[in-house]
Amino acid sequence: MVKPAKGTTTLAFIFKEGVMVAADSRASMGGYISSQSVKKIIEINPYMLGTMAGGAADCQFWHRNLGTKCRLHELANKRRISVTGASKLLANILYSYRGMGLSVGTMIAGWDETGPGLYYVDNEGGRLKGMRFSVGSGSPYAYGVLDNGYRYDMSVEEAAELARRAIYHATFRDGASGGVASVYYVGPNGWKKLSGDDVGELHYRYYPVMPSTVEQEMVEVTGA
Amino acid sequence: MQIFEYNGSALVAMVGKNCFAIASDRRLGVQLQTIATDFQRISKIHDRLFLGLSGLATDAQTLYQRLVFRHKLYQLREERDMKPETFASLVSAILYEKRFGPYFCQPVIAGLGDEDKPFICTMDSIGAKELAKDFVVAGTASESLYGACESMFKENMEPEELFETVSQALLASVDRDCLSGWGGHVYVV
């Protein structure tokens, strides 16, 4: 079975009020669903989040390692590290392990002195600054909804709903994404978890079943 | 990419007291992408005989059309419906005809024979019949289905209880499979 390219859906975007970060919660090993309740949004520190796509162990370890380095920076420099700095630290570490088989496709989202920041960092050592990113096998589907509904001046509720819908649509189409759609908001006072909705329930909320005439009834069949 | 896992499927058939149940999932996908959530995998051959086909969807459709054709011919010649055991042998023979270029399907056959005795069987893609007294499974979720059925099955269940058991076993198993899901179709006869 072909290993899915980072079987997951994560997304993040910057808007007027801050950064919105969302992800699904399914872990798949080939066709088998190993878990429906994986935390893919990792809390690096109270004002920075990282998303997980690729190898779970790799992402968890290196994000925690990044959190340690950020704290050391704070202690050494008596001020918080910027999102630019944190993402550069991670990108340099991953670059030094290039070719050794790490699998990390992460977004570092946070709020620092210059305002909201969002960077995409991956195991090839790539690092990109941007306003909208989606990572994982479900990302094409999420981009479709995200790019269509995105406006810079949205309220927090509108942005959260856009993020939730984008994750939901990705879990609908992508077999390797599912479980719970978590939405986090990063504002000037740090991050806050806004919601965690089961995508099955979201399906019936967005597309409620209309009662229709019964097509086939259960009937008693007499012995032929 | 494995050919049997291209479209994704989950099929299960179970025996009850003078009745049987056959159930399938409803997802049709192309590898990880979901294309449809209302795909029919189980078809009626006649009122007391149902056929479910898991595996590659195109082969399932073609095989189904061939089998319906053969059954209609049989009905015209013999002036009666085929018995489930006979139908199983027919399916097995048709699959073995293509021994060196097989249909990539795993059929599940469920029917009521003489005196309402339930009959279920499955076979591999080249026609090896596997008769069972309790339940048979097929598809990408088959390993989960084996586990679920083994723990939930009881002998001589009435139709209502059989329906519940089959549905729960199917839903629990497809929840652990990326390639099948999106609800189920259950037939209880």
Side-chain angles (χ1 to χ4, degrees):
Chain A
M1 170 91 192
V2 153
K3 215 171 163 290
K6 295 167 185 161
T8 188
T9 311
T10 59
L11 60 87
F13 58 90
I14 293 180
F15 67 114
K16 186 182 63 172
E17 309 273 355
V19 196
M20 203 54 83
V21 184
D24 75 313
S25 71
R26 179 176 287 186
S28 46
M29 298 194 310
Y32 181 68
I33 299 173
S34 36
S35 172
Q36 292 267 56
S37 49
V38 176
K39 272 191 70 172
K40 294 194 189 179
I41 297 179
I42 300 163
E43 297 139 12
I44 299 170
N45 59 43
Y47 55 96
M48 238 193 309
L49 293 173
T51 58
M52 179 201 297
D58 289 337
C59 291
Q60 277 174 5
F61 179 85
W62 289 110
H63 277 127
R64 191 163 156 78
N65 183 275
L66 178 65
T68 314
K69 292 200 160 58
C70 291
R71 179 75 185 126
L72 287 171
H73 174 101
E74 267 180 39
L75 291 168
N77 300 91
K78 277 199 182 171
R79 56 192 245 163
R80 283 183 183 169
I81 192 170
S82 61
V83 183
T84 317
S87 59
K88 192 80 175 175
L89 274 176
L90 183 63
N92 287 343
I93 293 169
L94 293 176
Y95 184 78
S96 65
Y97 283 92
R98 209 169 121 100
M100 293 203 197
L102 287 182
S103 173
V104 170
T106 184
M107 294 178 286
I108 305 290
W111 188 291
D112 57 29
E113 281 154 11
T114 61
L118 178 61
Y119 285 83
Y120 163 77
V121 177
D122 69 21
N123 53 274
E124 319 250 300
R127 175 173 165 269
L128 295 171
K129 183 170 155 72
M131 296 286 271
R132 294 201 296 279
F133 287 114
S134 175
V135 181
S137 57
S139 61
Y141 312 112
Y143 270 130
V145 175
L146 180 59
D147 290 341
N148 189 46
Y150 177 81
R151 280 173 304 119
Y152 181 72
D153 31 50
M154 283 189 284
S155 68
V156 175
E157 292 80 30
E158 285 175 324
E161 186 54 25
L162 178 67
R164 198 175 300 125
R165 274 209 186 234
I167 294 285
Y168 158 73
H169 279 104
T171 58
F172 181 89
R173 284 290 173 183
D174 179 32
S177 303
V180 167
S182 318
V183 180
Y184 281 65
Y185 164 66
V186 188
N189 302 325
W191 58 258
K192 186 165 145 51
K193 179 163 181 175
L194 292 182
S195 64
D197 298 288
D198 182 277
V199 296
E201 280 161 39
L202 283 180
H203 174 79
Y204 291 108
R205 210 195 301 170
Y206 293 144
Y207 302 103
V209 179
M210 295 299 161
S212 60
T213 50
V214 173
E215 288 152 336
Q216 271 183 338
E217 270 180 41
M218 288 255 291
V219 288
E220 287 281 327
V221 177
T222 49
Chain B
M1 180 54 172
Q2 300 272 41
I3 192 75
F4 281 101
E5 284 154 35
Y6 188 72
N7 291 125
S9 52
L11 269 178
V12 58
M14 254 193 213
V15 160
K17 193 170 161 137
N18 296 332
C19 62
F20 69 84
I22 181 168
S24 79
D25 73 317
R26 305 197 323 163
R27 179 183 182 271
L28 177 72
V30 166
Q31 298 188 190
L32 283 176
Q33 181 177 56
T34 305
I35 303 291
T37 55
D38 54 1
F39 187 66
Q40 285 271 15
R41 268 189 190 92
I42 299 175
S43 340
K44 188 170 84 157
I45 303 290
H46 62 76
D47 281 338
R48 289 150 62 92
L49 180 55
F50 281 74
L51 168 73
L53 287 161
S54 71
L56 196 62
T58 173
D59 281 353
Q61 285 181 334
T62 305
L63 189 59
Y64 164 67
Q65 286 163 2
R66 281 203 161 187
L67 288 166
V68 157
F69 167 71
R70 293 292 296 263
H71 180 254
K72 283 187 177 165
L73 269 183
Y74 183 93
Q75 275 181 324
L76 287 170
R77 289 187 181 132
E78 302 263 328
E79 290 179 357
R80 64 180 178 88
D81 289 330
M82 242 193 212
K83 280 197 231 160
E85 294 85 356
T86 319
F87 186 72
S89 299
L90 172 68
V91 177
S92 176
I94 287 184
L95 289 174
Y96 199 78
E97 271 173 18
K98 301 276 183 207
R99 169 66 175 80
F100 299 109
Y103 290 111
F104 296 113
C105 299
Q106 251 195 305
V108 167
I109 296 159
L112 282 178
D114 297 327
E115 285 132 36
D116 288 354
K117 190 168 179 315
F119 170 87
I120 52 170
C121 90
T122 183
M123 41 192 98
D124 67 4
S125 56
I126 45 177
K129 262 189 286 191
E130 186 207 311
L131 304 166
K133 294 203 185 83
D134 40 15
F135 57 85
V136 291
V137 302
T140 48
S142 57
E143 279 145 3
S144 305
L145 276 166
Y146 271 124
C149 289
E150 196 69 62
S151 50
M152 295 189 201
F153 181 79
K154 287 195 320 253
E155 301 249 319
N156 285 331
M157 281 187 278
E158 295 292 330
E160 290 79 20
E161 204 194 342
L162 185 65
F163 170 78
E164 281 301 325
T165 308
V166 157
S167 313
Q168 292 297 345
L170 182 71
L171 289 175
S173 311
V174 304
D175 279 346
R176 278 289 173 184
D177 182 22
C178 301
L179 303 172
S180 47
W182 289 108
H185 281 129
V186 185
Y187 297 83
V188 179
V189 179

